[in-house]
Amino acid sequence: MTRFEAERIAGLVQSDIRLMSRRCMELGGVNLGQGICDQPTPDVVKAAAKAAIDGDQSIYSKFEGIDELRRRIAGKMASYNGLPCDPDSEVLVAAGSTGAFVAAVLSFIEPGDEVILFSPFYGYHYNVLRMARPEIKSVTLRGSDWSFDPAELRAAFSSRTKAVIVNTPANPCGKVFTREELQQIGALCTEFDALAITDEIYEYILYDGREHVSMATLPGMRERTITISGFSKTYNMTGWRLGYAVAPAEFTARMGVVADLVYICPPTPLQHGVVAAFDLGPDYYEQMSADYARKRIQTMEACDAVGLTSLAPQGSYYLMVDVRGAGFETDVQAADVLMQQCGVAVIPGHSFYLDPADGRTQLRLCFAKQDHDLDRACDGIRKLASVTT
Ligand code: GLN
């Protein structure tokens, strides 16, 4: 700690997710690291944003977002998530789902609280939490379906538990929490009077007929759940920074005040643009699912061919592999060789655990790429066979 460093950011550094993107840019490789999702944004959405800019929709919106967008989000929450909500008091449009998550954490979590996080976790969840300085407890997801031990989960709860973070479908492991698992977590939240903060940004990316269940729809959970999602992943617009939270009015009111203080409002013309996404028909989502299902298999096959043993993700667009079958001892070694000799950026697994040793033999790969890039990346991965022998 130096004189010019606040305690709340002590030890925080640039994430491996961002670091690998920078290295990849320098070396000119294919980036399967950061979940950038660099496929085209739907034309109707781009056209609507351009029209909003041309129409001078350029001033601040309400901090909770423009009325039309909140109305459309509420419609989607009712029809897709089974969670009817009031667009005026229960929806907060945010600067990305991360903006919503930061608003939730700053609104509800403080030193002395405990928060439960499932590992492997999305590093931004962990590090945003660290800024609020609770005690973070990890429950590890294990085995081929990344399940948790109910006894370990119960043991993680205490009278100081303020919240549990649930990311489903999960980044980085692709787990889709089942209704039964969510019920178990929800029952403990009720028993210990804790909140559930859920990140559901990959909610449309599901494989093998899996079902997305929103925690807030389970008995007793609506009044204690903050449901977070966003547009980045579903409509390929990660740089637009548009997401949202749905929660009881008393929660969104607090989070809105925080969001207002941090960034005033999400970008207004882009909010107008993304309204058009709600007019996309079921064929859009079917095509997206079919594309990701294909890319998932393509990436798994390339990995398996060189001994990077993969576990099929149940949802999301990430794949975790074990590096030992490819002759590596550590994630960092494997990531370096993949980057420098194969031209493929990936994320070392230790970034996703409280104890880095737990992820020391794992890597995360993101397959949300255009076909020509994914083809190139898979060719690069297959080169490992000649590099390591
Ligand atoms: N959610 C994406 C990932 O996990 C992007 C994160 C980021 O850029 N910080 O890679």
Side-chain angles (χ1 to χ4, degrees), residues 15 17-18 21 33-36 97-98 122-124 171-172 201-202 233 238 241 317-318 347 352 364 366:
S15 67
I17 292 177
R18 275 199 172 282
S21 287
Q34 188 175 19
I36 298 175
S97 62
T98 305
Y122 173 44
Y124 281 63
N171 175 5
I201 188 137
Y202 302 98
K233 316 289 181 174
T238 53
R241 310 309 310 130
Y317 51 49
Y318 303 103
I347 310 292
F352 305 107
R364 186 194 79 171
C366 169

Side-chain angles (χ1 to χ4, degrees), residues 167-239:
N167 181 203
T168 184
N171 175 5
C173 65
K175 176 183 177 64
V176 175
F177 284 76
T178 64
R179 185 176 294 276
E180 293 67 36
E181 287 172 326
L182 292 171
Q183 271 161 352
Q184 287 173 28
I185 301 166
L188 288 165
C189 288
T190 310
E191 183 181 333
F192 288 87
D193 194 19
L195 296 170
I197 304 177
T198 69
D199 178 346
E200 305 182 17
I201 188 137
Y202 302 98
E203 61 192 329
Y204 286 104
I205 306 176
L206 301 161
Y207 307 111
D208 308 326
R210 288 213 158 66
E211 176 199 20
H212 174 68
V213 179
S214 288
M215 177 72 103
T217 61
L218 300 180
M221 289 309 289
R222 195 184 193 292
E223 62 265 33
R224 58 176 70 250
T225 302
I226 294 100
T227 306
I228 294 175
S229 192
F231 304 103
S232 298
K233 316 289 181 174
T234 309
Y235 307 109
N236 309 325
M237 44 196 292
T238 53

Side-chain angles (χ1 to χ4, degrees), residues 310-322:
S310 56
L311 280 180
Q314 302 168 346
S316 86
Y317 51 49
Y318 303 103
L319 181 65
M320 283 194 99
V321 298
D322 194 292

Side-chain angles (χ1 to χ4, degrees), residues 13-33:
V13 291
Q14 170 171 253
S15 67
D16 283 341
I17 292 177
R18 275 199 172 282
L19 188 71
M20 289 308 287
S21 287
R22 284 182 207 253
R23 285 184 65 193
C24 188
M25 252 188 267
E26 279 159 25
L27 297 172
V30 191
N31 192 354
L32 302 194

Side-chain angles (χ1 to χ4, degrees), residues 41-83:
T41 309
D43 286 338
V44 287
V45 177
K46 291 191 277 203
K50 287 179 211 168
I53 291 171
D54 288 339
D56 282 321
Q57 305 275 14
S58 307
I59 58 168
Y60 306 128
S61 71
K62 294 176 185 168
F63 60 68
E64 68 269 34
I66 62 171
D67 295 348
E68 173 67 358
L69 181 53
R70 279 183 285 100
R71 203 173 58 71
R72 299 301 294 265
I73 291 169
K76 170 264 175 192
M77 291 308 294
S79 60
Y80 185 70
N81 303 79
L83 183 61

Side-chain angles (χ1 to χ4, degrees), residues 303 308-311 319-323 361-365:
C303 289
L308 293 172
T309 28
S310 56
L311 280 180
L319 181 65
M320 283 194 99
V321 298
D322 194 292
V323 302
T361 63
Q362 298 172 352
L363 298 175
R364 186 194 79 171
L365 291 81

Side-chain angles (χ1 to χ4, degrees), residues 281-347:
D283 48 327
Y284 176 81
Y285 301 92
E286 280 156 25
Q287 186 65 51
M288 180 177 64
S289 286
D291 285 346
Y292 280 132
R294 179 173 50 76
K295 290 173 202 265
R296 174 182 75 140
I297 300 296
Q298 181 185 354
T299 316
M300 284 173 62
E301 282 176 357
C303 289
D304 288 334
V306 294
L308 293 172
T309 28
S310 56
L311 280 180
Q314 302 168 346
S316 86
Y317 51 49
Y318 303 103
L319 181 65
M320 283 194 99
V321 298
D322 194 292
V323 302
R324 286 170 292 188
F328 295 106
E329 276 174 25
T330 71
D331 57 341
V332 173
Q333 259 174 10
D336 280 348
V337 170
L338 277 165
M339 182 73 267
Q340 278 159 23
Q341 305 200 39
C342 308
V344 182
V346 300
I347 310 292

